[in-house]
Amino acid sequence: MRMVAWVAGAIFVLDQALKYLVVHMMQLDVKRSIDVLPPWLNLRMAWNQGVNFGLMSSEQFLMRWILVGIAVAICIWVWIWVWRGNFGRIARVSAGFLIGGALGNVVDRILYGAVADFLNMSLPGWQNPYSFNVADIAIFAGAIGLVLMPQKPADAAKPAARPAAKPKTAPKTVKPAPAQHRQGDLFRDGTPRDSTRDGDGKSG
């Protein structure tokens, strides 16, 4: 989960740094509009009190904290889901994108009461009425990545099982060779065994 934490932290810092630069240093909240590369890219200030593209927008104080609670709950759920699952690197990066973007918008709701949206992209002859921010891009990219990246099979992470060792065969027993009479067995203490008999087998 270290990769998820690093990616989430990087997205969070980038989102908050750009918001501070545009809103406070460039004073977009006062100027309301700055053309960068018209009509392709413009800065248009919009305080979003709802979710993306103004959905569920409401000025009620309760709705503000409900959206904060929902975003925090989603971050916790995604973290636990990825932590328990067997996901690859791309899925973990996607989870970091989603968590970092969601936390960036949570901080906006706590500090300003609304999300600071300032990026606007349009086309020649068509003016886009909506603005968004880096956190919104990260949330969409992270959600798509988690949906499209399937979970790895459990067997892929386990090492291949070693083949069972063949049972050892018992050592073969060698039967002793039949005893053979040696020449030395015919004599005891240097005397013939049948010293009392003559050559014809008769007793001498």
Side-chain angles (χ1 to χ4, degrees), residues 123-145:
L123 296 174
W126 175 74
Q127 179 64 41
N128 181 13
Y130 298 105
S131 296
F132 52 93
N133 56 34
V134 174
D136 296 334
I137 299 173
I139 291 172
F140 273 108
I144 293 174

Side-chain angles (χ1 to χ4, degrees), residues 32-49:
R32 307 301 298 177
S33 177
I34 298 176
D35 292 337
V36 180
L37 293 173
W40 308 101
L41 177 62
N42 305 294
L43 302 181
R44 301 284 187 268
M45 192 67 215
W47 292 104
N48 185 5
Q49 296 176 341

